[in-house]
Short mmCIF file of all heavy atoms in Angstrom, two decimals:
data_model
loop_
_atom_site.label_atom_id
_atom_site.label_comp_id
_atom_site.label_asym_id
_atom_site.label_seq_id
_atom_site.Cartn_x
_atom_site.Cartn_y
_atom_site.Cartn_z
N SER A 316 -15.91 -2.71 -10.36
CA SER A 316 -17.00 -2.58 -9.39
C SER A 316 -16.62 -1.82 -8.12
O SER A 316 -17.45 -1.05 -7.60
CB SER A 316 -17.56 -3.96 -9.03
OG SER A 316 -16.55 -4.81 -8.51
N PRO A 317 -15.38 -1.97 -7.57
CA PRO A 317 -15.08 -1.22 -6.35
C PRO A 317 -15.09 0.29 -6.54
O PRO A 317 -15.26 1.04 -5.57
CB PRO A 317 -13.67 -1.70 -5.97
CG PRO A 317 -13.51 -3.02 -6.64
CD PRO A 317 -14.28 -2.88 -7.93
N LEU A 318 -14.92 0.77 -7.77
CA LEU A 318 -14.81 2.21 -8.00
C LEU A 318 -16.10 2.95 -7.67
O LEU A 318 -16.08 4.15 -7.40
CB LEU A 318 -14.39 2.50 -9.44
CG LEU A 318 -13.07 1.87 -9.89
CD1 LEU A 318 -12.68 2.40 -11.25
CD2 LEU A 318 -11.96 2.12 -8.88
N ALA A 319 -17.21 2.23 -7.66
CA ALA A 319 -18.48 2.85 -7.27
C ALA A 319 -18.47 3.28 -5.81
O ALA A 319 -19.32 4.07 -5.38
CB ALA A 319 -19.63 1.88 -7.52
N LEU A 320 -17.49 2.77 -5.04
CA LEU A 320 -17.40 3.10 -3.61
C LEU A 320 -16.57 4.35 -3.34
O LEU A 320 -16.47 4.79 -2.20
CB LEU A 320 -16.79 1.92 -2.85
CG LEU A 320 -17.57 0.61 -2.91
CD1 LEU A 320 -16.74 -0.53 -2.34
CD2 LEU A 320 -18.89 0.74 -2.15
N ARG A 321 -15.94 4.92 -4.38
CA ARG A 321 -15.15 6.13 -4.17
C ARG A 321 -16.05 7.27 -3.70
O ARG A 321 -17.14 7.47 -4.21
CB ARG A 321 -14.44 6.54 -5.47
CG ARG A 321 -13.24 5.68 -5.82
CD ARG A 321 -12.57 6.16 -7.10
NE ARG A 321 -11.34 5.43 -7.37
CZ ARG A 321 -10.62 5.56 -8.47
NH1 ARG A 321 -11.00 6.42 -9.41
NH2 ARG A 321 -9.51 4.86 -8.64
N ILE A 322 -15.56 8.03 -2.73
CA ILE A 322 -16.37 9.12 -2.21
C ILE A 322 -16.35 10.30 -3.19
O ILE A 322 -15.37 10.51 -3.89
CB ILE A 322 -15.90 9.57 -0.81
CG1 ILE A 322 -14.49 10.15 -0.85
CG2 ILE A 322 -15.98 8.42 0.18
CD1 ILE A 322 -14.07 10.75 0.48
N PRO A 323 -17.42 11.06 -3.23
CA PRO A 323 -17.48 12.19 -4.17
C PRO A 323 -16.51 13.30 -3.77
O PRO A 323 -16.07 13.40 -2.62
CB PRO A 323 -18.93 12.66 -4.06
CG PRO A 323 -19.42 12.14 -2.75
CD PRO A 323 -18.67 10.87 -2.49
N GLY A 324 -16.22 14.16 -4.74
CA GLY A 324 -15.21 15.19 -4.55
C GLY A 324 -15.45 16.13 -3.39
O GLY A 324 -14.52 16.48 -2.65
N HIS A 325 -16.71 16.54 -3.16
CA HIS A 325 -16.95 17.50 -2.09
C HIS A 325 -16.63 16.91 -0.72
O HIS A 325 -16.27 17.65 0.20
CB HIS A 325 -18.40 18.01 -2.13
CG HIS A 325 -19.43 16.97 -1.78
ND1 HIS A 325 -19.95 16.08 -2.71
CD2 HIS A 325 -20.03 16.67 -0.60
CE1 HIS A 325 -20.83 15.29 -2.11
NE2 HIS A 325 -20.91 15.62 -0.84
N GLU A 326 -16.71 15.59 -0.58
CA GLU A 326 -16.34 14.98 0.69
C GLU A 326 -14.81 14.90 0.82
O GLU A 326 -14.28 15.01 1.93
CB GLU A 326 -16.98 13.59 0.82
CG GLU A 326 -18.49 13.66 0.98
CD GLU A 326 -19.13 12.29 1.12
OE1 GLU A 326 -18.43 11.34 1.51
OE2 GLU A 326 -20.33 12.18 0.83
N LEU A 327 -14.10 14.71 -0.29
CA LEU A 327 -12.64 14.80 -0.27
C LEU A 327 -12.21 16.18 0.20
O LEU A 327 -11.24 16.32 0.96
CB LEU A 327 -12.08 14.55 -1.67
CG LEU A 327 -11.77 13.12 -2.08
CD1 LEU A 327 -11.22 13.11 -3.50
CD2 LEU A 327 -10.78 12.48 -1.14
N HIS A 328 -12.91 17.19 -0.26
CA HIS A 328 -12.61 18.57 0.13
C HIS A 328 -12.60 18.69 1.65
O HIS A 328 -11.70 19.29 2.25
CB HIS A 328 -13.65 19.50 -0.48
CG HIS A 328 -13.47 20.95 -0.15
ND1 HIS A 328 -12.70 21.78 -0.92
CD2 HIS A 328 -13.94 21.69 0.88
CE1 HIS A 328 -12.70 22.99 -0.39
NE2 HIS A 328 -13.45 22.97 0.70
N ASN A 329 -13.60 18.09 2.30
CA ASN A 329 -13.68 18.15 3.76
C ASN A 329 -12.56 17.36 4.43
O ASN A 329 -12.04 17.77 5.47
CB ASN A 329 -15.04 17.62 4.22
CG ASN A 329 -16.19 18.48 3.74
OD1 ASN A 329 -16.03 19.68 3.53
ND2 ASN A 329 -17.36 17.87 3.55
N VAL A 330 -12.17 16.24 3.84
CA VAL A 330 -11.09 15.43 4.40
C VAL A 330 -9.78 16.22 4.42
O VAL A 330 -9.07 16.26 5.43
CB VAL A 330 -10.90 14.14 3.58
CG1 VAL A 330 -9.62 13.41 3.99
CG2 VAL A 330 -12.10 13.21 3.76
N PHE A 331 -9.47 16.89 3.32
CA PHE A 331 -8.21 17.62 3.23
C PHE A 331 -8.18 18.85 4.13
O PHE A 331 -7.10 19.41 4.36
CB PHE A 331 -7.94 18.03 1.78
CG PHE A 331 -7.58 16.87 0.89
CD1 PHE A 331 -8.17 16.73 -0.35
CD2 PHE A 331 -6.67 15.91 1.29
CE1 PHE A 331 -7.85 15.67 -1.19
CE2 PHE A 331 -6.35 14.84 0.48
CZ PHE A 331 -6.94 14.71 -0.77
N ARG A 332 -9.31 19.25 4.63
CA ARG A 332 -9.35 20.41 5.52
C ARG A 332 -9.64 20.04 6.96
O ARG A 332 -9.98 20.87 7.77
CB ARG A 332 -10.38 21.42 4.99
CG ARG A 332 -9.79 22.24 3.87
CD ARG A 332 -10.81 22.82 2.91
NE ARG A 332 -10.12 23.56 1.85
CZ ARG A 332 -9.50 23.00 0.82
NH1 ARG A 332 -9.47 21.68 0.71
NH2 ARG A 332 -8.88 23.73 -0.08
N ASN A 333 -9.47 18.75 7.26
CA ASN A 333 -9.64 18.27 8.63
C ASN A 333 -8.28 18.33 9.33
O ASN A 333 -7.37 17.57 9.00
CB ASN A 333 -10.17 16.83 8.61
CG ASN A 333 -10.49 16.30 9.99
OD1 ASN A 333 -9.97 16.78 11.00
ND2 ASN A 333 -11.33 15.29 10.05
N PRO A 334 -8.09 19.23 10.31
CA PRO A 334 -6.77 19.38 10.95
C PRO A 334 -6.33 18.13 11.70
O PRO A 334 -5.14 17.96 11.99
CB PRO A 334 -6.97 20.56 11.90
CG PRO A 334 -8.46 20.65 12.10
CD PRO A 334 -9.09 20.17 10.84
#
Side-chain angles (χ1 to χ4, degrees):
S316 58
L318 302 188
L320 299 169
R321 285 181 174 174
I322 64 173
H325 68 275
E326 291 181 22
L327 271 180
H328 180 89
N329 296 332
V330 170
F331 289 134
R332 280 155 181 77
N333 185 338

